[in-house]
Amino acid sequence: MNRVLIIAIALTASCSTPGPGPEPSLAPRAAEATDPRLPIPDVPPPGSVEPALASRLGELVASVRAAAPGFEASEAEASRLALAAGPMASESWIAAEQALSRLVAEYGATTRAAAEIDELAADRIDRRRWINPAEQEAIASAAAEVASISDRQAAAIDRLKNQLAR
């Protein structure tokens, strides 16, 4: 009987040791103070575009627009040389290939601007975990304009590559 009593006391004593920390408060929490009947808007507020972002997007689009006439002039020259190109490895073919290489280098201005626009969006998502609707629209608009110029330029490069690959 003594043994049973000692074991019961030991078990009871082990259950009454203090826990790892203080007891949690029973006071109301911040989430409990929110009225659950408040409507949640379907569309988040649009916010505004940060001036630095708007300025940088404008600069990038302007740089692509400014580079486009130079690309078009180089494209005309490369097209003329590609039409006059002789068989592969001839001097006229090499001249056309060099013109095409210059055209691809000029296309770099467009691809760099497109990459920087993507980087601006990714940076905002990384820092803030979201992009407000106004900034998202500004970024999408700049990206769309640069993409339309890029698509035309890429198509011209592909056309000339195919023409010289004959």
Side-chain angles (χ1 to χ4, degrees), residues 37-134:
R37 297 170 294 178
L38 292 176
I40 298 173
D42 290 338
V43 179
S48 61
V49 179
E50 187 178 296
L53 174 65
S55 173
R56 187 63 189 139
L57 290 172
E59 290 170 3
L60 291 169
V61 170
S63 72
V64 171
R65 285 183 195 149
F71 181 91
E72 291 165 5
S74 295
E75 178 190 356
E77 176 66 13
S79 293
R80 184 185 65 74
L81 291 171
L83 283 173
M88 195 175 288
S90 66
E91 278 192 43
S92 59
W93 181 85
I94 291 171
E97 279 289 327
Q98 289 172 336
L100 177 59
S101 294
R102 287 189 295 275
L103 191 63
V104 170
E106 288 187 38
Y107 179 55
T110 304
T111 58
R112 280 189 299 277
E116 192 168 335
I117 290 170
D118 288 346
E119 185 179 326
L120 288 169
D123 182 55
R124 289 204 151 24
I125 291 171
D126 190 39
R127 282 189 297 126
R128 299 181 190 164
R129 303 288 182 233
W130 85 298
I131 301 175
N132 75 40

